[in-house]
Amino acid sequence: MGKLGKKARKFAKKNLPSVLRDRRKKKALFKKRYSSKNVQSNVEDQAKLIDHSNERNTEVEAFEDLPLEAPFMENDCDGVVDSSDSDGYLSEDISYVNETESEPGKLLEGDKCTSELMMQNIKIQENLAVQKRKLERLKRKDPSFSKFLEKHKDIEAMQNGVVFSDEDEMSNHGRDSVTEDNQGKNKGRVLTVSAISSWCRLIKEEHKEEAFVCLLNAYRAACHYGAESIGLRFQNAETFCSLVMSVLSEADNILRGLLGLSSSSYKKEAVLELKDTPQWVNVKPLIKSYLRSTLSLLDQVTDSEILAFALTRLRDSLPFFAAFPYLLQRLIKTTIHLWATGGGMLSSASFSIVLDVASLFTTDFFDNCLAKAFVAYLAQSRATDIVNNKHLQFLRNSLVDLCSLDVQKSLSKATVSVRQLAKVLQWGLRTKKKEALQRICSWEYANCINLWVGFIARNVRDYDLQAFFFTMVQLINGVVRLFPGPRYFPLRLNCIQWLNDLSNSTGVFIPITSFVLDVLEYKTVGGRGKPGPTLFFQSVLKLPKSCLKSQTFQDECITSAIEQLSSHFLQWSYHISFPELATVPLIRLKKFNESKTKESLCRAVKHLIEQVEKNVDSVQKKRNEVAFSPNDHQSVETFLQFEKSSLSSPFSQYYRSVLDKAALRGSHKNEKISLPRRDKSKRKRDDSLINVSGHKDLDTVNGAKKRVKRRAPKA
């Protein structure tokens, strides 16, 4: 019998019973040679290999749960908290030092006594607050004790005390009547307009600090009206209005006068230098009460005009926040919320304070402002499917202004943010999962890209942002290639717009004509399409399937493509290589124009072709007259610079007409788009950036007074 072949030997080794029997014996002998220690090490090595392979398999999905604002979350904190147990009311029996009557040798002794008394007063207030909390816990634990207190309300009246007064506050009869009222009905004093006028007169004419304390206590009660139980009633709406407007209008000037600061001083160092003086000990409780009460007012009021006026007045008192970091953190949180959710004058006034805080105070507060603003911006982006583009554009421009205050620090955050965007895009390109595609085709993702495009366009000429610029171009190109279908044409056109903006700001050529012509050449049903609903590509990112067969969709595609092509051609219309740049697009445009039969579609494309050909001829004639070679880069860069600065070419005039038609088309379609319904009681306002630095504008003050009066509580 001859020798077995190669295949037969392999079959015998794998399947013959004798071979399998010998293999089992060798395997048992092999196991006995190794100790348990070696076996354990082999198992660990195998486990490491399995874990390493699992890491490679799950690497793409590891970032799925990370939000886009994750790079900013570490700085989105409230920082220092207010550790004070005070309820915010001021003691009305503060002792004052009369410098005119005191002797020079006794002045320092009087200041020391005042400081010691203030420290003792603070300790007593802290002890009272602790006892009050214990009493509240007893009320909750022991119902019988609570019933006992209800029967003896005079104890609570003595504990709460009497803080507010009217014009006869100095009389003993008035104090007795308040005590009787607290014991009976527990409704507190009734504040009148005459009492407020009397306090204001004493403050202005006689500089009575006691009157200012009473005014701040009443203001504190007004700012917390409805949020907590207070022992004060207002006689009418006029009283409430007069109190709020008087304090907002005059408090900053009074506090500056008590500290000896000029009204034009806007440096926090001036306030910090006074912290070690005895004068600061007396004025500090007044400043803290005013700032805390105004912040409470911002949290309680919902009217935009009142909020804008309060923010404008509070902006003048920003240096005082240097002594109260926890109040400054609270101010940042409140103003960021009003900036993101408000509109018009309210958003402008809020962001003015955010900019001042970021520029006046330390870098920690800049990081906090940037983090909270970025999180609020993305929160507004994911609010609805059809967004308010005008307000979001204002938020984006405002956030770019904030980032431009410290470009290097903002660049580090932007780099991490774009890296997170790239991970999400890589996840979508690899897996093509529905969750990944939905996350990329979202307003949150799109507005994040739009923000960093604006950041590059604003600062690329003054700072080295080339690496960040090329990363953004790669990211946007990846988004365009991920969504080639017609339902994603709005997202594609947004990406083309971003590439055009980057190219205009940096002067770097970015090829986008193929992306635009793909939109233009998409084949639809042609002339047989139905009109369909009104479409506006600036308000959506993904279209429903029912819109793809409509004539409206085809018209919008052609119009949007012409706008983007015109913007691209305008940037390079004065460049020496424009004839070569326009060659391929002209061929495809002419082919598209010949395939269409509808006159309205052909007219716009034909007009574009004519303007591009005219510009090609003009540049060609100028180029034939020059004597330098293409290697002379300096001469190439200066080619047609005079014409470019004057924008006198026919193509520039054509582009202006395209922009005018786009603006008219946008305003016309905004009226037809179904947006979320708004409350009819809210007044419509323009969301454009309004300068609110002039807080003494009579129209603003009078408007705020009317709104305060209309929303004031009844007696």
Side-chain angles (χ1 to χ4, degrees):
M1 188 173 177
K3 188 177 181 181
L4 293 175
K6 185 177 181 181
K7 292 184 179 180
R9 289 198 304 271
K10 285 185 178 181
F11 179 81
K13 288 181 181 180
K14 291 183 179 180
N15 299 285
L16 288 181
S18 59
V19 175
L20 295 176
R21 189 165 50 249
D22 294 340
R23 187 180 297 172
R24 284 195 297 268
K25 291 180 180 180
K26 290 180 181 180
K27 188 175 181 180
L29 182 63
F30 179 77
K31 286 183 178 181
K32 292 179 181 178
R33 290 179 181 178
Y34 286 90
S35 62
S36 59
K37 182 177 180 180
N38 292 333
V39 173
Q40 185 177 0
S41 63
N42 291 334
V43 172
E44 291 178 356
D45 293 338
Q46 292 178 1
K48 289 181 180 179
L49 291 174
I50 294 173
D51 293 339
H52 186 64
S53 62
N54 290 336
E55 288 179 1
R56 290 198 303 267
N57 294 332
T58 59
E59 183 179 0
V60 180
E61 300 180 1
F63 55 86
E64 183 177 356
D65 295 331
L66 290 178
L68 295 181
E69 61 268 23
F72 294 84
M73 296 300 290
E74 59 182 6
N75 298 115
D76 185 14
C77 58
D78 294 333
V80 186
V81 296
D82 188 3
S83 59
S84 175
D85 293 327
S86 175
D87 58 357
Y89 289 111
L90 300 171
S91 176
E92 297 187 7
D93 54 350
I94 300 178
S95 60
Y96 298 91
V97 179
N98 190 355
E99 298 184 6
T100 59
E101 296 180 359
S102 63
E103 298 179 3
K106 298 181 179 179
L107 181 59
L108 294 176
E109 296 179 0
D111 292 338
K112 292 180 180 178
C113 294
T114 303
S115 178
E116 292 177 358
L117 290 175
M118 290 297 298
M119 295 300 296
Q120 293 177 4
N121 191 12
I122 292 173
K123 291 181 180 179
I124 293 173
Q125 289 181 358
E126 291 178 353
N127 294 331
L128 288 176
V130 172
Q131 297 297 330
K132 190 174 182 179
R133 287 198 297 270
K134 291 182 179 180
L135 188 61
E136 293 295 332
R137 286 197 296 268
L138 284 174
K139 286 182 182 180
R140 292 192 296 269
K141 291 181 180 180
D142 192 356
S144 60
F145 181 69
S146 178
K147 293 179 181 179
F148 173 78
L149 288 179
E150 289 179 0
K151 294 180 181 179
H152 300 80
K153 290 185 179 181
D154 54 343
I155 299 177
E156 283 191 279
M158 292 174 63
Q159 185 183 21
N160 292 333
V162 179
V163 181
F164 301 97
S165 306
D166 56 6
E167 62 266 355
D168 57 352
E169 62 177 350
M170 298 302 177
S171 63
N172 294 329
H173 176 71
R175 294 185 183 274
D176 295 338
S177 62
V178 172
T179 305
E180 293 175 359
D181 188 54
N182 284 334
Q183 291 177 350
K185 299 181 181 180
N186 196 22
K187 290 184 179 180
R189 300 293 301 274
V190 177
L191 187 64
T192 61
V193 177
S194 58
I196 299 173
S197 302
S198 176
W199 289 337
C200 294
R201 179 180 56 79
L202 290 174
I203 295 170
K204 291 181 180 180
E205 297 178 1
E206 302 181 14
H207 304 287
K208 290 288 187 178
E209 191 172 345
E210 296 90 340
F212 186 51
V213 170
C214 296
L215 190 66
L216 287 179
N217 282 334
Y219 177 67
R220 194 265 180 199
C223 293
H224 290 78
Y225 194 92
E228 61 183 44
S229 59
I230 57 175
L232 179 72
R233 290 184 297 131
F234 298 96
Q235 187 179 27
N236 47 34
E238 184 180 358
T239 305
F240 187 90
C241 171
S242 176
L243 174 63
V244 174
M245 298 305 297
S246 298
V247 176
L248 287 176
S249 301
E250 303 296 337
D252 181 73
N253 295 329
I254 296 171
L255 293 172
R256 289 177 179 269
L258 293 174
L259 290 175
L261 296 175
S262 61
S263 58
S264 60
S265 177
Y266 206 68
K267 296 181 179 180
K268 63 182 179 65
E269 290 78 11
V271 176
L272 295 177
E273 290 174 358
L274 295 172
K275 288 185 68 175
D276 298 331
T277 62
Q279 189 179 10
W280 172 259
V281 177
N282 292 333
V283 183
K284 178 183 176 181
L286 307 180
I287 298 175
K288 184 177 180 181
S289 176
Y290 167 65
L291 298 180
R292 289 178 63 179
S293 300
T294 307
L295 290 175
S296 299
L297 179 68
L298 296 178
D299 293 335
Q300 297 297 325
V301 177
T302 57
D303 186 82
S304 298
E305 291 186 4
I306 301 174
L307 289 171
F309 179 74
L311 288 170
T312 305
R313 298 301 300 135
L314 194 61
R315 185 184 179 189
D316 295 336
S317 303
L318 274 183
F320 295 138
F321 281 93
F324 310 100
Y326 47 89
L327 293 181
L328 184 57
Q329 295 285 4
R330 183 178 169 188
L331 174 68
I332 294 172
K333 183 178 180 180
T334 302
T335 50
I336 289 293
H337 173 72
L338 295 175
W339 162 71
T341 58
M345 185 183 295
L346 177 58
S347 294
S348 302
S350 302
F351 194 72
S352 297
I353 291 182
V354 174
L355 279 180
D356 290 342
V357 170
S359 58
L360 285 176
F361 297 94
T362 60
T363 56
D364 293 337
F365 290 104
F366 171 79
D367 294 339
N368 195 9
C369 290
L370 182 60
K372 289 184 180 297
F374 185 79
V375 172
Y377 173 69
L378 291 187
Q380 289 298 309
S381 300
R382 69 173 76 98
T384 55
D385 292 333
I386 300 180
V387 296
N388 185 356
N389 287 308
K390 197 171 184 180
H391 181 61
L392 269 179
Q393 190 67 18
F394 167 76
L395 297 182
R396 177 250 195 185
N397 295 336
S398 303
L399 196 49
V400 169
D401 292 338
L402 181 61
C403 293
S404 301
L405 293 178
D406 192 341
V407 176
Q408 296 301 330
K409 183 169 288 189
S410 301
L411 178 61
S412 62
K413 294 290 185 183
T415 304
V416 179
S417 176
V418 172
R419 191 178 297 122
Q420 179 68 20
L421 294 175
K423 288 181 179 180
V424 177
L425 178 62
Q426 187 180 18
W427 176 39
L429 289 171
R430 287 186 180 181
T431 63
K432 299 294 179 64
K433 287 186 176 181
K434 183 179 179 181
E435 296 82 2
L437 299 180
Q438 287 179 349
R439 190 168 180 183
I440 298 172
C441 185
S442 64
W443 281 112
E444 182 183 6
Y445 194 93
N447 285 322
C448 193
I449 297 178
N450 190 21
L451 170 66
W452 301 128
V453 169
F455 173 71
I456 294 174
R458 177 74 61 85
N459 302 286
V460 69
R461 298 188 184 276
D462 300 325
Y463 298 89
D464 184 15
L465 303 178
Q466 292 299 321
F468 187 55
F469 159 72
F470 287 113
T471 303
M472 286 298 301
V473 173
Q474 293 176 354
L475 177 67
I476 297 172
N477 283 330
V479 175
V480 174
R481 291 185 172 89
L482 182 61
F483 300 101
R487 295 186 65 187
Y488 299 97
F489 277 175
L491 177 60
R492 173 179 284 243
L493 289 168
N494 275 298
C495 293
I496 295 170
Q497 179 65 50
W498 297 331
L499 293 175
N500 270 333
D501 293 341
L502 291 174
S503 181
N504 287 327
S505 59
T506 59
V508 178
F509 176 75
I510 302 176
I512 57 104
T513 52
S514 60
F515 298 151
V516 183
L517 292 173
D518 289 342
V519 176
L520 186 68
E521 295 172 349
Y522 174 71
K523 294 182 180 180
T524 58
V525 292
R528 295 179 296 175
K530 298 180 180 179
T534 303
L535 297 177
F536 191 40
F537 284 179
Q538 297 298 325
S539 299
V540 292
L541 294 177
K542 182 180 178 182
L543 296 171
K545 291 183 179 179
S546 59
C547 296
L548 302 182
K549 297 182 180 181
S550 65
Q551 187 64 42
T552 307
F553 169 72
Q554 188 176 11
D555 295 343
E556 189 69 23
C557 288
I558 294 175
T559 307
S560 301
I562 290 175
E563 292 173 3
Q564 298 301 330
L565 272 179
S566 302
S567 176
H568 178 67
F569 286 146
L570 176 68
Q571 181 188 356
W572 305 103
S573 60
Y574 299 95
H575 200 268
I576 196 170
S577 63
F578 183 78
E580 288 76 18
L581 183 147
T583 300
V584 176
L586 279 176
I587 295 174
R588 295 180 65 177
L589 285 173
K590 290 179 181 179
K591 184 178 180 181
F592 169 78
N593 193 36
E594 293 173 356
S595 63
K596 295 298 177 183
T597 57
K598 190 176 180 181
E599 182 64 23
S600 60
L601 298 178
C602 297
R603 191 183 303 113
V605 178
K606 186 178 180 180
H607 194 194
L608 174 62
I609 294 173
E610 292 174 354
Q611 294 299 324
V612 173
E613 288 179 340
K614 286 181 181 179
N615 199 77
V616 168
D617 296 337
S618 176
V619 174
Q620 189 71 45
K621 290 179 181 179
K622 294 288 184 179
R623 191 169 68 177
N624 293 334
E625 298 174 359
V626 301
F628 55 84
S629 67
N631 294 329
D632 190 356
H633 297 289
Q634 185 177 1
S635 300
V636 169
E637 292 297 330
T638 57
F639 181 75
L640 295 180
Q641 285 299 311
F642 177 76
E643 289 81 358
K644 185 176 182 180
S645 60
S646 60
L647 296 177
S648 58
S649 67
F651 195 84
S652 299
Q653 298 175 3
Y654 164 75
Y655 183 68
R656 290 194 191 99
S657 65
V658 172
L659 290 181
D660 294 338
K661 292 179 181 178
L664 181 62
R665 183 169 56 94
S667 61
H668 176 67
K669 291 188 176 182
N670 277 332
E671 298 175 357
K672 295 184 178 181
I673 292 177
S674 58
L675 295 174
R677 295 184 179 180
R678 297 182 179 178
D679 188 3
K680 295 183 179 180
S681 62
K682 293 185 178 180
R683 186 179 176 182
K684 295 182 180 179
R685 300 180 183 87
D686 186 13
D687 288 334
S688 58
L689 183 60
I690 302 174
N691 184 11
V692 294
S693 59
H695 59 268
K696 293 184 179 180
D697 188 5
L698 293 178
D699 295 337
T700 304
V701 174
N702 293 333
K705 284 185 177 181
K706 292 178 181 178
R707 310 287 265 190
V708 172
K709 186 175 181 179
R710 190 158 58 245
R711 285 161 176 76
K714 296 181 180 180

